[in-house]
Amino acid sequence: MKRLATMKKSTRNNLFTYALVIAAFVVVQALRVGPGIGSMLEGQLIPICAYVTMALALNLVVGISGELSLGHAGFMSIGAFAGSAFAMALQDSVGLSPLRLALAMVFGALIAAVLGFLIGIPVLRLNGDYLAIVTLAFGEIIKSIATNVYLGMDGNGLHFSFLNDTMDLSDGGVELIRGPMGVMNSQRISTFIAGFVLVLAALTIIFNLVNSRTGRAIMAARDNRIAAESVGISVTKYKMIAFVTSAALAGAAGTLYGCSQTTFVATRFDFNTSILILVFVVLGGLGNMWGSVIAATALTILPEALRQFSELRMLVYAIVLILVMLATNNPTLRGFFTRLFRREREGADAGVRAVKGGGGHE
Amino acid sequence: MVFLNYLISGIGLGSIYAIIALGYTMVYGIAKMLNFAHGDVIMVGAYICYFSMSGLSAHFEEGSLAAAVVPALAGTVLAMVVCTVLGVVIERLAYKPLRQAGSLAVLITAIGVSYFLQNAAQLLWSSSPKMFTPILSRDLQLSLPGGLSVSALTILTVVVCIVIMVGLTLFTGRTKMGKAMRACSEDKAAAQLMGIDVNRTISMTFAIGSALAAVAGVLYLSTYPSLVPTTGSMPGIKAFTAAVFGGIGSIPGALLGGLLLGIIEILAGGYISTQLQTAIVFAVLIVVLLVKPAGLLGKVVREKV
């Protein structure tokens, strides 16, 4: 009976998350067709979708699998570079831009997944803070390498060089990746609808993974590694599944982001970006997917919305961040909020015990 | 010959990393938290020293001995005092309320503090780079036989690092406060039962770590003089890496990790490629952690079922 109740709660949570994303999409799309949503928000729509997907991907690693990753921007970077280069290379052969974007996303996700697997082999042998520092190290290595890659294409096929530009492209050749100058997209093929589809796909993949035998094994390995091993769960294998899935989603998000920018460089995806995404996940609640969606959206809009305070905005952001962390984690303050909440609930009709799920945040 | 010169500057840089890594390692050992704001304390210390040095140097006759020594010394001491207070205040306001919370919550708060310090510095002192005056003139070179030359600044850095290391080892080994620190890092609850004031011990750790960060900031900026509000983050991350490299929580480990990291960084830049310098440093870290998962001198804690 108890198990049934928890099952229902998780299904309810999942449905709520889908409903939230779809409703947000419908409202925004209706506003865009009708009165418009302002150029500030319009420009933020695709980055929001990319960051929401990043937050969902990282939540799979940090919340569900229980490993702290400080280098997830690296996978986003790989996705952005690989995906954009792929899209540009296909520019002549695939005319339909949504199809090209879809192919680019799959390619970006694939490359990021392969890299995630390779990185996962050493990383998942460690645990705790050592794992975190190694992911940080990989993020920095990816950044350094991506800054020095040159990739070009001409009539003779692909040209590649490292550290120095020695490609010697023939006439009509295209530079796909230009080292420290990054990528310059000739066409911005990402759309808000594509972003929405990506977010929905990410949610579907994550929910299906979490509610499967594999997902339960992943969570068992998180809750108690030794106990999980003793019942025959291969901890490394299941952690690897979560890590690679997360890397693939991050790669697709990177492609979405990359293809929405006229130009971007590898230093755009640095340690600070990884941290920013981690902030979304922690503020939204570990393992709580709709929390990640809301936190990523709110915190991507917030710095833009605070632009009127210009110089003060990042200071305000920092203070808000510290205060929220204190308010949600300090036992005294939390006790105060719970008491406040309980009193309200007692005041309301006892029969209406729906809404409040697990979270307890915001 | 070139190799020895690289080695010397590597040791100089490594000593600075070691001093910063000490702050990380002490705080981690006792509060079990990664203090990401530590790098920004370095930056604040450097700014304080910069302003007090440029304010004071006007009062001294140019070229005299006093003009060379007094502003630099006063600037460093002032920076240490300000950073000590800053470190204790940060701990009291941001970290202490989260003593019982999960490590991720504390990590994010530390990141919030780091953002706060960087942006406050940008508001107060603007983001245009300031040229830091080295505390010892870079022209002061000591020539060694065989065409080698060592700058006085490097010698000073290494000496300061050794003094700090010996001082800290004696402090944690011999004094009552030091023993309290070791007790707290072992088991906080048991330490409290033995009558140790855990909160005061943690404050003390932050005070020492932040004072060291100020010293490291002054030394770092004397070598790499461009001072901006984000100056602290890269040496901060590198020093954190150094602390993990040597085994986080261990004081000799911080020294070893810092020195090795500095040497590898300079050698990689000199012989392989300056563009891939950072990547090589991190790659070595990964290899070391794979062979010794708790760092070079770290203790492997066995998990009990």
Side-chain angles (χ1 to χ4, degrees):
Chain A
M1 202 59 208
K2 216 175 207 172
R3 187 174 293 169
L4 201 70
T6 47
M7 284 283 285
K8 270 191 174 160
K9 202 175 91 188
S10 75
T11 330
R12 200 167 57 213
N13 255 337
N14 295 356
L15 288 178
F16 174 70
T17 314
Y18 286 125
L20 183 82
V21 171
I22 295 171
F25 171 75
V26 169
V27 169
V28 170
Q29 204 57 346
L31 281 176
R32 283 174 83 200
V33 174
I37 52 170
S39 58
M40 185 275 279
L41 204 57
E42 182 75 45
Q44 289 295 309
L45 285 178
I46 299 173
I48 286 174
C49 290
Y51 282 128
V52 166
T53 315
M54 280 305 294
L56 291 172
L58 188 62
N59 206 342
L60 182 63
V61 170
V62 181
I64 307 294
S65 172
E67 303 291 0
L68 179 57
S69 166
L70 295 176
H72 246 57
F75 296 122
M76 192 179 180
S77 171
I78 291 299
F81 277 93
S84 300
F86 192 70
M88 272 194 283
L90 285 184
Q91 203 144 323
D92 299 325
S93 41
V94 182
L96 203 62
S97 70
L99 179 65
R100 199 161 71 231
L101 180 66
L103 286 174
M105 271 189 200
V106 171
F107 184 72
L110 204 68
I111 297 286
V114 170
L115 200 76
F117 179 71
L118 292 179
I119 291 177
I121 296 170
V123 162
L124 295 174
R125 287 176 52 185
L126 302 163
N127 40 32
D129 296 322
Y130 292 100
L131 190 148
I133 184 82
V134 170
T135 52
L136 188 161
F138 271 114
E140 290 295 316
I141 292 175
I142 292 174
K143 189 181 81 183
S144 296
I145 291 178
T147 309
N148 292 302
V149 166
Y150 296 84
L151 189 70
M153 192 181 70
D154 60 12
N156 305 326
L158 283 176
H159 294 260
F160 173 82
S161 69
F162 191 59
L163 286 180
N164 296 307
D165 190 357
T166 53
M167 289 189 298
D168 256 344
L169 294 179
S170 56
D171 289 340
V174 201
E175 286 184 303
L176 301 176
I177 301 174
R178 305 171 302 157
M181 316 256 286
V183 166
M184 185 145 81
N185 282 314
S186 41
Q187 283 179 335
R188 292 190 285 163
I189 51 175
S190 289
T191 56
F192 176 50
I193 297 174
F196 163 73
V197 173
L198 179 66
V199 172
L200 269 194
L203 281 175
T204 318
I205 292 171
I206 290 175
F207 285 147
N208 278 311
L209 179 67
V210 170
N211 291 332
S212 68
R213 188 189 166 85
T214 315
R216 285 187 291 275
I218 293 171
M219 285 184 281
R222 168 196 66 188
D223 291 339
N224 192 330
R225 191 188 177 107
I226 296 172
E229 268 173 350
S230 73
V231 293
I233 291 172
S234 162
V235 171
T236 318
K237 177 184 151 196
Y238 285 103
K239 283 198 184 300
M240 182 65 95
I241 292 175
F243 197 72
V244 171
T245 313
S246 171
L249 288 175
T255 308
L256 177 78
Y257 183 86
C259 291
S260 74
Q261 307 288 311
T262 349
T263 173
F264 63 90
V265 291
T267 43
R268 173 73 195 72
F269 308 99
D270 58 356
F271 176 62
N272 287 329
T273 313
S274 298
I275 289 298
L276 189 74
I277 298 157
L278 184 67
V279 168
F280 299 157
V281 172
V282 175
L283 275 188
L286 290 181
N288 180 339
M289 297 302 159
W290 62 264
S292 287
V293 174
I294 293 180
T297 312
L299 289 185
T300 312
I301 298 176
L302 187 67
E304 296 298 318
L306 287 175
R307 213 167 262 282
Q308 49 177 319
F309 303 107
S310 60
E311 294 198 313
L312 281 176
R313 74 191 176 112
M314 285 316 286
L315 202 66
V316 175
Y317 181 90
I319 295 172
V320 168
L321 185 63
I322 298 173
L323 289 181
V324 169
M325 287 324 288
L326 292 185
T328 50
N329 286 288
N330 186 285
T332 330
L333 282 172
R334 200 146 94 178
F336 173 74
F337 282 121
T338 346
R339 273 204 305 281
L340 208 70
F341 221 82
R342 199 175 297 147
R343 199 165 302 150
E344 259 174 28
R345 220 168 17 180
E346 277 163 11
D349 183 18
V352 204
R353 54 174 217 85
V355 211
K356 177 88 175 82
H361 291 280
E362 272 131 14
Chain B
M1 215 43 49
V2 181
F3 175 77
L4 283 179
N5 269 330
Y6 282 143
L7 197 66
I8 289 167
S9 47
I11 292 174
L13 181 63
S15 306
I16 301 174
Y17 285 155
I19 301 174
I20 310 173
L22 272 176
Y24 272 111
T25 226
M26 287 177 68
V27 167
Y28 185 87
I30 289 174
K32 292 284 175 288
M33 66 166 287
L34 302 176
N35 182 14
F36 268 111
H38 196 68
D40 301 292
V41 176
I42 299 170
M43 173 273 297
V44 173
Y47 268 106
I48 301 291
C49 184
Y50 169 80
F51 283 112
S52 39
M53 271 172 82
S54 47
L56 277 173
S57 59
H59 299 286
F60 291 95
E61 205 180 314
E62 202 162 316
S64 67
L65 185 69
V69 174
V70 178
L73 206 62
T76 313
V77 171
L78 194 65
M80 283 172 75
V81 171
V82 171
C83 284
T84 307
V85 174
L86 183 70
V88 173
V89 169
I90 290 173
E91 197 275 329
R92 181 71 195 77
L93 291 183
Y95 303 152
K96 195 171 167 235
L98 295 174
R99 198 69 40 88
Q100 259 78 44
S103 62
L104 258 184
V106 189
L107 182 76
I108 301 289
T109 313
I111 289 160
V113 173
S114 159
Y115 283 169
F116 177 82
L117 290 179
Q118 282 181 15
N119 289 293
Q122 191 168 346
L123 275 184
L124 284 173
W125 303 312
S126 92
S127 54
S128 59
K130 307 221 173 342
M131 284 317 268
F132 194 89
T133 341
I135 48 168
L136 265 183
S137 165
R138 271 187 224 99
D139 303 332
L140 240 59
Q141 297 275 348
L142 191 70
S143 299
L144 295 180
L148 274 180
S149 69
V150 187
S151 74
L153 193 64
T154 311
I155 297 176
L156 179 76
T157 309
V158 175
V159 168
V160 167
C161 177
I162 293 171
V163 168
I164 288 175
M165 207 57 62
V166 171
L168 265 185
T169 314
L170 289 178
F171 177 76
T172 49
R174 303 281 171 84
T175 62
K176 207 162 185 180
M177 194 67 202
K179 282 177 191 166
M181 280 181 181
R182 283 189 294 146
C184 283
S185 79
E186 198 88 8
D187 187 335
K188 273 200 215 49
Q192 197 149 24
L193 288 175
M194 297 299 122
I196 292 170
D197 187 341
V198 174
N199 282 329
R200 209 170 70 97
T201 314
I202 293 179
S203 288
M204 189 68 190
T205 314
F206 271 88
I208 295 175
S210 308
L212 294 185
V215 176
V218 172
L219 291 173
Y220 185 81
L221 267 296
S222 298
T223 322
Y224 301 95
S226 169
L227 178 58
V228 287
T230 49
T231 291
S233 55
M234 208 51 206
I237 292 179
K238 294 252 182 71
F240 171 45
T241 315
V244 177
F245 202 63
I248 198 157
S250 141
I251 289 177
L255 176 68
L256 185 66
L259 282 178
L260 282 179
L261 202 78
I263 293 170
I264 293 170
E265 184 175 334
I266 298 284
L267 287 183
Y271 285 111
I272 305 175
S273 150
T274 41
Q275 289 141 301
L276 294 178
Q277 211 172 13
T278 319
I280 293 167
V281 169
F282 283 115
V284 173
L285 169 86
I286 292 168
V287 172
V288 166
L289 281 187
L290 284 180
V291 181
K292 287 190 74 79
L296 291 174
L297 300 180
K299 275 182 291 185
V300 181
V301 184
R302 285 196 145 250
E303 204 179 339
K304 292 197 187 105
V305 186

